[in-house]
Amino acid sequence: MFVNRRSRSAPAAALVAVLVLAWASGSRAARAADPDAGAPDASTPETASPPRGHEGETPAAARAYQGEASAATPGGDATETGSGLFEQSASAAAAKDQAKDQGISGAQPPAPFTLTGYVRGDAFIGKVPDYRAAEMKAGYGELSLALKTAKGSNGDGFAEMRVRQGLQGQQQGTSLDLREAYANAYLGPVDLRIGRQIIVWGRADALNPTNNLTPFDLRIRSPIEDDRRIGNLGARMFARLAPLRIEGVWMPLYAASELPPVGLPPFVTLAAPRFPPPELKYGLLAGRVHLELPAFEMSVSYLRGHAPLPGLTLSGLTFDPVSPEVRVARTAYEHQVVGLDFSTAIRDLLAIRAEIAYRRPADYRNRIHAPRPDLQYVLGVDRAFGPVTVIGQYLGRYVFDWAAQRGPDQPLDPFTLMGTRTDFLENAATLVINQQLARTNQILFSQTARLQHIATMRVEWLTAHDTLSIAALGLMNLTTREWMAAPKVGYKLSDALTAYLGGEIFMGPNGTLFGLIDEILSAGYAELRVIF
C-alpha cells in the first residue's frame, strides 16, 4: 500500500474485494445452497412461498449460465446442489421416475433422506503479474454432498458439505467446508429455519444493493458465482398472511467476507481483525414485508448490523532498524440499510426487476474504515428470443457527503520506521498511512466518484437440442471506464457429465480497481463435472 501500482501491497488485498463484490456480491446467482429454491421462468416475475420457495431467483438463462441446477426430490421439492448446466432436467427426470416407482408399489415408505451431489475438477490459468508468462491460478478437485431429510408435515432439514483438494490462489491443501446445515419447522402460517444458512435478498441480476446479510469467500475460483457465498448461523422466520409475507432474520454471530491472498511489502502485515465479539448485542437484525400478487411482487426491507465487508484501519507501528512493521487490520463497521425491490412483467414481452437501497454507516465521519452514506438503484429487463435470453441492467450509485480521497502526496518511506521512535515521527507516519487507507477504503467501497453509472448484460444461447450453452456476462463502469467480461461455454456430454470452458477478464485504467487487479484475477478455466 505504500509502494507503486505493481507492488501488490496490503490494501491491494482488500481492493480485490470490490471487484468480485460488485460483480458477484450482489449476484442473483440461483441459490445453489438452498434446497427449497425454485426456478422461475425467464419471462415472468418470480413467485415464492417460503421456505419452500425462495425470492429473488435468477431467470432461467442466468441460472444456466451460472451452472446451477436443481435435483428434485421424490417429494417434489428442489434441492439446489450448485451443480452444472443442464443437470436440472436430468436430475428432475430421475426423481420423477423414482416417485413414479414408489407410487406404483404403494408399499414402501419414502426414504428418510435423499443424498445428491457432484464431483468436479477445475483448472484456472492466467498471467504472471508483470511478466509475459502464464501460471496456474487455481487447480483442484472437489466433492459435494447434499443431504435433505424427508419432508414432513412439521419440518425437514438440509446440509451440504464440500471437500476440496488442490490450489486456490497461493494456498495449496485440503479444505472441508460445511456450507449449510439447518432445520425447518412449519408451524401453521409460520415457517422457521435455524442453523447455518445462506440468505440472499434482491430480485435483480448481477448487482443487488439490498443484499447485505451473509458474506462471500472471494478467495474461491469457480465457474459458478454462487460458490463464493458463505453460510452463517442464524434464524429466519416467515409469516404468511396472503397476499403479504412477513420475514424476519437474526444473525447473532459476525462472519466477514474473505479476501484473496496478495503479496505484501516486507514491512506491512495484516494484524488480527477487529470484528465484533459473539455477544447478543452485536447481532444483525433484518426484516422484510413482501406483497405477492399474480402479476406483481414487491418487498420493503430494513437491516441493522455489521456489514459483511470490513474496511481497513491502522493497528500499530513498530520502529526498529532491523524489522520495522506497519500492522493493518480489517475492521467491521455498523450500518443501516433500507431497501425496496419489485418484479413484474409486461405481457409476454419483458420481465422487469428493480431494486433501490439507502445505506447509512454509523459514525462514518469519524471512522476511516466506514464508507459514506449512499443510494444505489438498479433497473433491469429480460427477454427471451426463442433459445436466446438477454438480461440487461443499469445501476446508479450516488454518494452523500462525498469527498475525494487522493492519498498521501508521497508514499511512506520504510526508512522512516528504521530510526528511533519519536512522537513526531510516529504522528507523521500515522498521518501518511491513514491518508493511504482512506483512499484504499474509498476504492474498496466503490465510492471513488460521487455519482457512478454501471451497466451489465447477460446473454445465453441454448442450442443443439439443449446440450450446448453459449453464454456471457459483461459489466461496464461508464464512470471509471473499467470493464469485466465472463464468457462461458457448457456442453452436456451425457446426462450426468458436463464440460465447461470459460474465462474471467478484468480491465481498467491505471489508478482504478480493475487496473490494479487485472493480472491477479483474469484467467481462463476448464471444468469437468459429474452429478449424482
Side-chain angles (χ1 to χ4, degrees):
M1 82 183 170
F2 310 108
V3 288
N4 61 30
R5 173 181 180 268
R6 296 298 182 184
S7 62
R8 315 302 174 192
S9 57
L15 294 183
V16 178
V18 154
L19 166 67
V20 185
L21 190 66
W23 166 36
S25 110
S27 169
R28 289 310 311 128
R31 281 287 305 107
D34 192 338
D36 302 309
D41 183 79
S43 60
T44 59
E46 65 213 345
T47 58
S49 55
R52 302 167 185 87
H54 185 82
E55 76 288 348
E57 294 294 346
T58 305
R63 291 164 53 84
Y65 164 79
Q66 292 150 0
E68 291 144 16
S70 301
T73 64
D77 293 325
T79 301
E80 297 279 3
T81 65
S83 14
L85 181 67
F86 316 116
E87 294 163 10
Q88 180 175 2
S89 59
S91 300
K96 289 179 180 179
D97 291 342
Q98 181 180 353
K100 181 178 179 181
D101 293 341
Q102 291 178 350
I104 292 175
S105 65
Q108 297 182 358
F113 63 87
T114 57
L115 185 65
T116 58
Y118 64 81
V119 178
R120 67 173 177 174
D122 289 72
F124 284 72
I125 298 176
K127 183 179 180 296
V128 178
D130 302 325
Y131 293 95
R132 297 177 62 87
E135 67 175 353
M136 180 75 73
K137 300 290 188 178
Y140 59 88
E142 183 177 79
L143 167 67
S144 171
L145 296 175
L147 182 147
K148 183 173 183 179
T149 67
K151 186 173 182 179
S153 59
N154 295 323
D156 55 16
F158 173 79
E160 182 187 4
M161 179 186 68
R162 296 184 179 183
V163 183
R164 181 186 304 111
Q165 203 288 327
L167 175 71
Q168 281 278 6
Q170 299 176 356
Q171 302 296 322
Q172 185 172 358
T174 302
S175 63
L176 176 62
D177 177 27
L178 183 61
R179 195 164 191 251
E180 290 189 286
Y182 56 78
N184 294 319
Y186 308 138
L187 311 172
V190 175
D191 296 341
L192 179 64
R193 173 176 295 175
I194 297 178
R196 182 175 176 85
Q197 53 190 296
I198 297 172
I199 301 177
V200 181
W201 278 6
R203 301 177 189 273
D205 175 61
L207 301 168
N208 294 95
T210 63
N211 184 37
N212 297 278
L213 287 163
T214 49
F216 297 84
D217 188 344
L218 306 179
R219 303 167 300 180
I220 298 298
R221 287 184 178 269
S222 171
I224 300 174
E225 299 164 34
D226 187 75
D227 283 349
R228 297 183 176 100
R229 301 190 188 277
I230 301 176
N232 193 14
L233 175 67
R236 190 181 192 187
M237 179 274 295
F238 286 97
R240 298 189 301 277
L241 305 170
L244 298 179
R245 282 194 298 121
I246 300 175
E247 176 184 0
V249 176
W250 176 48
M251 293 285 181
L253 304 180
Y254 179 73
S257 294
E258 296 292 339
L259 305 179
V262 178
L264 304 177
F267 64 99
V268 178
T269 62
L270 288 176
R274 296 173 174 175
F275 296 159
E279 300 178 13
L280 294 180
K281 64 180 179 179
Y282 295 114
L284 180 148
L285 291 172
R288 297 174 82 187
V289 177
H290 304 254
L291 172 65
E292 298 173 339
L293 302 175
F296 180 82
E297 293 187 2
M298 69 169 291
S299 70
V300 179
S301 61
Y302 172 77
L303 177 149
R304 179 167 188 165
H306 287 83
L309 181 64
L312 295 172
T313 59
L314 176 62
S315 178
L317 294 173
T318 297
F319 287 80
D320 188 272
V322 178
S323 302
E325 187 177 56
V326 175
R327 294 181 294 279
V328 176
R330 304 177 68 210
T331 305
Y333 67 91
E334 288 184 288
H335 67 171
Q336 300 181 67
V337 183
V338 179
L340 180 147
D341 59 71
F342 75 86
S343 63
T344 187
I346 302 177
R347 299 182 179 178
D348 294 330
L349 299 177
L350 291 174
I352 301 175
R353 302 165 187 265
E355 290 186 45
I356 184 170
Y358 172 71
R359 171 179 60 169
R360 185 175 181 85
D363 196 21
Y364 64 89
R365 290 187 178 91
N366 300 316
R367 295 182 175 182
I368 192 174
H369 59 284
R372 302 279 175 163
D374 61 16
L375 182 71
Q376 300 180 59
Y377 37 95
V378 183
L379 177 64
V381 296
D382 56 88
R383 171 72 189 274
F385 300 90
V388 178
T389 302
V390 179
I391 305 172
Q393 278 193 167
Y394 163 78
L395 178 138
R397 179 185 290 112
Y398 181 83
V399 183
F400 299 90
D401 199 14
W402 182 84
Q405 301 294 333
R406 306 190 184 280
D409 294 332
Q410 295 292 332
L412 179 67
D413 187 344
F415 288 103
T416 302
L417 303 178
M418 294 182 179
T420 302
R421 179 201 169 277
T422 65
D423 290 343
F424 175 79
L425 287 178
E426 184 172 6
N427 291 337
T430 299
L431 176 62
V432 171
I433 294 169
N434 283 335
Q435 288 176 338
Q436 178 62 54
L437 289 176
R439 172 62 177 168
T440 299
N441 285 325
Q442 191 169 66
I443 297 174
L444 177 66
F445 297 123
S446 297
Q447 294 189 342
T448 55
R450 186 187 302 274
L451 177 63
Q452 294 187 54
H453 305 282
I454 301 171
T456 68
M457 180 169 288
R458 194 189 298 268
V459 180
E460 189 218 10
W461 177 29
L462 193 61
T463 185
H465 303 288
D466 293 347
T467 62
L468 175 65
S469 170
I470 302 173
L473 169 66
L475 180 150
M476 178 70 184
N477 189 318
L478 303 174
T479 304
T480 63
R481 304 301 178 186
E482 301 165 85
W483 61 270
M484 178 276 298
K488 181 176 181 179
V489 176
Y491 184 68
K492 184 178 176 183
L493 300 171
S494 68
D495 288 343
L497 177 62
T498 305
Y500 299 98
L501 288 175
E504 298 171 346
I505 306 165
F506 308 96
M507 294 293 293
N510 290 339
T512 65
L513 173 65
F514 285 14
L516 285 170
I517 52 78
D518 53 0
E519 295 181 335
I520 298 175
L521 289 187
S522 293
Y525 63 80
E527 175 182 290
L528 279 178
R529 177 185 294 250
V530 178
I531 65 166
F532 56 87

